[in-house]
Each structure stands twice: as structure tokens, then as C-alpha cells.
Amino acid sequence: MSLTTITHGAVAVLAGLLVWFYQDARLGADLAEARLETTTQQLATSTAQRAADARVRQTEKAVAATYQGALNDALKKQTALQAAAAGAGRERDSLRKQLSAAEQRLADASPGALIEYASTLNELFGQCSSRYTELAAAADGHAADAATCREAWPVIPTPRLPAAGTTPNH
């Protein structure tokens, strides 16, 4: 073998090794860049998830505060309604006592007093009838408002489960 052949062979081996190391370094750089990109994407996803979680927590707090406020208002209204009902019960009992006393007085009353009493009762009945009509109209309005509120309330559909013994189609 000649010195030129050995030199050419050594240069070829050296060139092959240099190409090998260069490609290895390039592959290492590509892998590092891919890892960096993956890490960056994971960080962005994690940041977005934390932001979404924070928005969900804020929304949950707002819904809970709104619900608690509505619940407190409803409790106050319920207390007021119970007090009004108790007052109406006391009024009813008082009227019963007055009617009982009036019945006893009517037995001994003169015909003129009975006519005046009947006239007063007729007027009172007319006022009660008017008030009853107003109350019925208000109750109808409330019922319509309640129905509108129920119909407008958002409904989250529930997924249908497959019937027993069947398999879902995928």
C-alpha cells in the first residue's frame, strides 16, 4: 500500500467521523429544539388551564353570591308573608268576635236599624268583591310572571343513556 492510499483512507475515515459528529450534533440540536417547543406548549396549556380554572372559580363565586342573595331575599319575604298572615289571622279573629256580638245586637234591633245594617253590609260586600277582583288579577299576573321565569330559565340537557341490554353506537 502506498502512502497516498493510506492518507486518502485516513482522510475519508476522518471526513466520515466529522460528518457523523456533525449529524449527531444537528440531531441533538433538533431534539433540544423539539423539547423546548413541547415544554413551551405545555407551559402555555398549563397557563391557559389555570386562567380557565380561575374564571370558573370567579363564576362559581358570583353564582353562589347571587344565589345566597336571592335566598336571603326569599327568607325576608317569607318572614314578611308569615307576619302578614299572622296579622290577617288576628284580624279574622277580631272580625269573628265582632260578628258574634253583632248577631246578638241584631236580635234586639229595630227594623230601621236592621235596614241600615243591611245597607252597610251591602256596601262592605261590594268593597270586598272589588278587592277580591284586584287580588285575583294580581295573582294571575304573578302566575304569568312565574311561568315566564320558569320557561326562560336555562336548561342543561341531560345525555340519554342507552336502554338496558343495548350497546351505544360509536
Side-chain angles (χ1 to χ4, degrees), residues 17-35:
L17 284 174
L18 288 174
V19 167
W20 180 275
F21 287 123
Y22 175 76
Q23 291 296 337
D24 183 50
R26 234 178 74 186
L27 178 63
D30 288 345
L31 285 174
E33 188 176 315
R35 284 187 195 122

Side-chain angles (χ1 to χ4, degrees), residues 149-163:
C149 187
R150 276 191 304 275
E151 291 170 8
W153 194 258
V155 176
I156 299 172
T158 55
R160 292 187 176 192
L161 298 176

Side-chain angles (χ1 to χ4, degrees), residues 130-156:
S130 294
R131 183 66 181 122
Y132 176 75
T133 303
E134 292 170 9
L135 185 62
D140 288 344
H142 172 72
D145 289 347
T148 302
C149 187
R150 276 191 304 275
E151 291 170 8
W153 194 258
V155 176
I156 299 172

Side-chain angles (χ1 to χ4, degrees), residues 1-81:
M1 262 209 234
S2 72
L3 184 58
T4 331
T5 307
I6 293 175
T7 306
H8 285 287
V11 167
V13 168
L14 182 62
L17 284 174
L18 288 174
V19 167
W20 180 275
F21 287 123
Y22 175 76
Q23 291 296 337
D24 183 50
R26 234 178 74 186
L27 178 63
D30 288 345
L31 285 174
E33 188 176 315
R35 284 187 195 122
L36 176 63
E37 189 174 317
T38 301
T39 303
T40 303
Q41 288 296 327
Q42 288 172 345
L43 179 62
T45 302
S46 175
T47 302
Q49 183 64 43
R50 281 195 305 273
D53 289 344
R55 286 191 305 272
V56 166
R57 281 191 300 277
Q58 286 176 339
T59 303
E60 286 173 346
K61 285 179 184 179
V63 167
T66 302
Y67 172 75
Q68 190 62 46
L71 186 60
N72 290 342
D73 289 345
L75 289 174
K76 287 177 186 175
K77 287 177 185 176
Q78 182 66 28
T79 302
L81 288 173

